[in-house]
Amino acid sequence: MITGKDIYDVLAAIVPLYVAMILAYGSVKWWKIFTPDQCSGINRFVAVFAVPLLGFHFISTNDIYAMNYHFIAADSLQKVVILAALLLWHCFSKNGSLEWMITLFTLSTLPNTLVMGIPLLRAMYGDFSGKLMVQIVVMQCDLVYTYAVHV
């Protein structure tokens, strides 16, 4: 049964993000506070400094010895199944291109964990789910991103 506290917890996790996004959109489109060049600078700052530091924070607070290996194995299996399905689509479909395969794989397997996923999961299911998502972030940063940089 969903209670009022459950709804409050979820809204408390997602409303700040959406309010910030609406204010950012309005500050460019409606109120003309920022120019597109300034937005480009803000985006670059977020991509180069803010997101990597947030990722570092989550990775550094993770206990590598207390990771749930069944959960990691299930997530890895999910990624392999999606990759196999997309590879079959790429090989046997006229519309299957490598660019779309990479895009669809990224969209389907790399969750938005840092900004939205962890706070939302913690609000919905408690702290244990946030810790599981942090473990996924650790595995993605250590394995997936490292391999993708070298390819």
Side-chain angles (χ1 to χ4, degrees), residues 37-146:
D37 288 337
Q38 291 169 328
C39 291
S40 176
I42 292 169
N43 286 339
R44 185 157 172 80
F45 171 79
V46 168
V48 172
F49 293 110
V51 171
L53 286 174
L54 183 62
F56 177 77
H57 166 71
F58 281 119
I59 291 169
S60 66
T61 57
N62 183 48
D63 183 7
I64 194 88
Y65 298 108
M67 291 180 71
N68 186 336
Y69 296 109
H70 293 290
F71 182 71
I72 299 297
D75 182 66
S76 300
L77 180 63
Q78 173 256 345
K79 286 176 174 49
V80 169
V81 167
I82 292 292
L83 188 60
L86 289 172
L87 187 61
L88 289 172
W89 172 72
H90 172 67
C91 291
F92 296 113
S93 174
K94 294 178 188 175
N95 298 329
S97 68
L98 186 61
E99 292 83 10
W100 273 108
M101 183 180 146
I102 293 169
T103 301
L104 290 172
F105 178 74
T106 302
L107 286 173
S108 62
T109 60
L110 302 178
N112 185 2
T113 53
L114 292 176
V115 177
M116 191 64 178
I118 293 171
L120 186 59
L121 281 175
R122 282 185 177 157
M124 291 171 59
Y125 303 113
D127 282 336
F128 79 93
S129 63
K131 291 178 183 177
L132 290 176
M133 197 54 69
V134 168
Q135 293 174 13
I136 295 297
V137 170
V138 169
M139 294 307 292
Q140 283 177 192
C141 290
D142 289 346
L143 297 176
V144 176
Y145 296 153
T146 304

